[in-house]
Amino acid sequence: MTILIFALVALAVCALLVLVHRWLWIRLVRDTTTPGGRTRRVGTALAIALPLLSVAALTTGRAGAPFRLQQTVAWPGYLWLAVLLYLTLTMLVAEPIRALWLRRSAHRDSTGPAVERPEPVEVPAAAAPAAAPPAPVATERPAVADGLSRRRFVARTVGGTAAAVALGTVGAGTYGVLRGPSVKRVTVPLAKLPRAAHGFRIAVVSDVHLGPVLGRAHTRRIVDRVNRTRPDLIAVVGDLVDGSVPDLGHAAEPLRLLEARHGAFFVTGNHEYFSGAQQWIDHVRELGLNPLENARKELPHFDLAGVNDIQGEQEGKGPDFGAALGDRDRTRAAVLLAHQPVVIHDAVRHGVDLQLSGHTHGGQLWPGNYLAELANPTVAGLERYGDTQLYVSRGAGAWGPPVRVGAPSDITVVELASFQA
């Protein structure tokens, strides 16, 4: 039954994408070009090739295709998905403008002044010269030609403006991702934190998504920015990679350079399980990070715990709050690393003071934040749930399109504050 529902949903999504691409082809190619012209042929070819590249970008990794092939199709395929989103949105806004413009133009033409023609003059037959009758003062262009010219002008103006807006939005969003995440600073007071730990700094890194698009250079940018904050502890809270260790081990290598007084810690995200979580747990350990697999580390002034991602339940290795938090001293403050914000209610039941999460990307592509709000208790930032506080990072990378709109990437330095200070 589940497979049937998935197949029906996939079929509906494919049908919708076909309809959207056909509509965009009509508005941006057919309505703006001449039949049989080179521009129309090129536009039609792109309308077929770009969605196929997008499908390839989404499926080659899961299908086990060579990594070189994944890299080849990823950039154009994923970028087209982002352009498609904003091109569709801008064209939907432009559609009533286009219709109103054409209607007003047609109305103006139909109510315009009539073309003047010369009055006939009677001339006696004897005096009439043997010449052709006088030509009319003015001639009219064919109405059909006028209509085609007007419609094409409107289509080109509206379509060109929409395309410029979409491409500009995606270009700016891509630049934001490729220049690397910004650094945010958040102060979180904890009632149980002793005075000696006041000002303790945790650098939170989530959702890097190393893969066929974001590679070693992106990792190095993140490591440099984290180290410049001089944190006491580094927390990598899942979705580090989209691929296997053989393909992405080189891209993850700069993580070896992370520096913090109390070390760097790692918990799995859902994407680690798509490519083999255990291989990455073993590999990040080799890089100097400390994986917390439903485990706890007792630091000098508070407990640091980590749980596996929910996706691990399919392998029998899901989150186990009892193992991570069950036997601890509840008079000590507890900070929990958990990839997905939805486990906050388990954190509350186990007396966690602060949960650090990612997963949402802050929505990544507006208006995706509204969809993220439907599936997550907190999309970004700091919120309180009973006696537990939850901080959700927007992430340091991007999944799929290397584009962020309305949700810039970040590394967050969480500074713990003691009530006793």
Side-chain angles (χ1 to χ4, degrees), residues 332-418:
R332 287 167 55 89
V335 176
L336 174 69
L337 311 184
H339 178 64
Q340 298 196 41
V342 293
V343 302
I344 181 61
H345 304 296
D346 293 291
V348 172
R349 283 194 294 271
H350 285 83
V352 169
D353 298 276
L354 172 64
Q355 176 179 319
L356 301 175
S357 298
H359 183 63
T360 68
H361 297 209
Q364 185 167 327
L365 295 170
W366 181 92
N369 54 303
Y370 297 112
L371 295 177
E373 287 175 358
L374 299 177
N376 298 278
T378 298
V379 173
L382 182 68
E383 290 189 359
R384 178 177 287 277
Y385 294 83
D387 293 330
T388 302
Q389 297 182 79
L390 168 64
Y391 181 80
V392 180
S393 168
R394 289 189 300 246
W399 179 82
V403 183
R404 282 178 172 265
V405 177
S409 57
D410 68 60
I411 294 163
T412 303
V413 176
V414 175
E415 184 171 319
L416 305 182
S418 171

Side-chain angles (χ1 to χ4, degrees), residues 105-154:
S105 297
H107 177 72
R108 188 164 54 247
D109 289 349
S110 64
T111 59
V115 177
E116 294 185 4
R117 297 183 179 277
E119 293 290 337
V121 178
E122 293 186 7
V123 180
V137 173
T139 59
E140 293 182 273
R141 296 176 58 191
V144 174
D146 273 351
L148 285 175
S149 177
R150 179 174 59 247
R151 292 179 67 85
R152 191 165 293 151
F153 172 77
V154 172

Side-chain angles (χ1 to χ4, degrees), residues 49 61 65 69 84 90 140 172 230 251 256 280 351 403:
L69 176 59
L84 177 64
T90 52
E140 293 182 273
R230 303 179 66 82
R256 193 184 298 276
W280 279 108
V403 183

Side-chain angles (χ1 to χ4, degrees), residues 1 33 39 51 83 86-87 89 106 111 146 157 175 182 217 254 271 282 290 295-296 310 314 342 369 415:
M1 186 65 180
T33 60
T39 304
V83 172
Y86 292 107
L87 190 56
L89 291 176
T111 59
D146 273 351
T157 303
Y175 173 74
S182 60
H271 281 246
D282 296 338
N290 302 292
R296 181 176 72 256
I310 298 169
Q314 298 186 13
V342 293
N369 54 303
E415 184 171 319

Side-chain angles (χ1 to χ4, degrees), residues 27-347:
R27 288 289 180 256
L28 298 174
V29 179
R30 191 195 69 178
D31 290 354
T32 62
T33 60
T34 56
R38 180 180 179 182
T39 304
R40 178 169 294 193
R41 291 197 301 271
V42 171
T44 302
L46 289 174
I48 297 171
L50 289 172
L52 291 177
L53 284 170
S54 296
V55 172
L58 291 167
T59 58
T60 50
R62 298 289 183 89
F67 191 64
R68 288 288 186 185
L69 176 59
Q70 296 179 42
Q71 291 177 308
T72 300
V73 300
W75 272 101
Y78 281 134
L79 283 177
W80 172 244
L81 287 176
V83 172
L84 177 64
L85 170 63
Y86 292 107
L87 190 56
T88 301
L89 291 176
T90 52
M91 286 299 293
L92 286 172
V93 172
E95 190 69 10
I97 298 174
R98 169 187 167 277
L100 180 61
W101 190 351
L102 287 173
R103 188 178 306 160
R104 288 198 171 185
S105 297
H107 177 72
R108 188 164 54 247
D109 289 349
S110 64
T111 59
V115 177
E116 294 185 4
R117 297 183 179 277
E119 293 290 337
V121 178
E122 293 186 7
V123 180
V137 173
T139 59
E140 293 182 273
R141 296 176 58 191
V144 174
D146 273 351
L148 285 175
S149 177
R150 179 174 59 247
R151 292 179 67 85
R152 191 165 293 151
F153 172 77
V154 172
R156 288 176 177 176
T157 303
V158 172
T161 302
V165 170
L167 291 172
T169 300
V170 172
T174 303
Y175 173 74
V177 171
L178 296 183
R179 74 180 176 185
S182 60
V183 175
K184 289 184 60 178
R185 298 181 183 273
V186 176
T187 300
V188 181
L190 300 180
K192 299 177 187 175
L193 192 73
R195 182 195 299 266
H198 182 75
F200 191 96
R201 298 183 308 279
I202 303 175
V204 182
V205 182
S206 75
D207 302 279
V208 178
H209 287 285
L210 299 178
V213 174
L214 299 176
R216 185 184 178 97
H218 190 67
T219 310
R220 187 59 193 254
R221 282 191 292 268
I222 291 171
V223 169
D224 288 345
R225 289 178 193 183
V226 168
N227 287 344
R228 280 202 296 268
T229 68
R230 303 179 66 82
D232 297 300
L233 183 146
I234 299 167
V236 181
V237 291
D239 279 8
L240 174 65
V241 293
D242 283 306
S244 66
V245 171
D247 288 338
L248 296 172
H250 177 72
E253 185 66 24
L255 294 174
R256 193 184 298 276
L257 302 175
L258 286 170
E259 298 176 356
R261 184 159 56 101
H262 291 279
F265 293 83
F266 170 81
V267 293
T268 56
N270 54 309
H271 281 246
E272 271 75 46
Y273 291 93
F274 299 151
S275 54
Q278 192 59 50
Q279 64 174 312
W280 279 108
I281 291 171
D282 296 338
H283 189 65
V284 298
R285 186 180 284 113
E286 293 174 3
L287 295 176
L289 279 70
N290 302 292
L292 290 174
E293 301 177 78
N294 296 323
R296 181 176 72 256
K297 173 76 172 179
E298 293 185 1
L299 298 176
H301 302 295
F302 64 92
D303 294 339
L304 180 72
V307 291
N308 296 344
D309 185 70
I310 298 169
Q311 186 69 31
E313 293 175 349
Q314 298 186 13
E315 303 177 7
K317 298 181 180 179
D320 188 336
F321 287 85
L325 298 160
D327 59 349
R328 74 180 191 87
D329 179 2
R330 290 207 175 194
T331 63
R332 287 167 55 89
V335 176
L336 174 69
L337 311 184
H339 178 64
Q340 298 196 41
V342 293
V343 302
I344 181 61
H345 304 296
D346 293 291

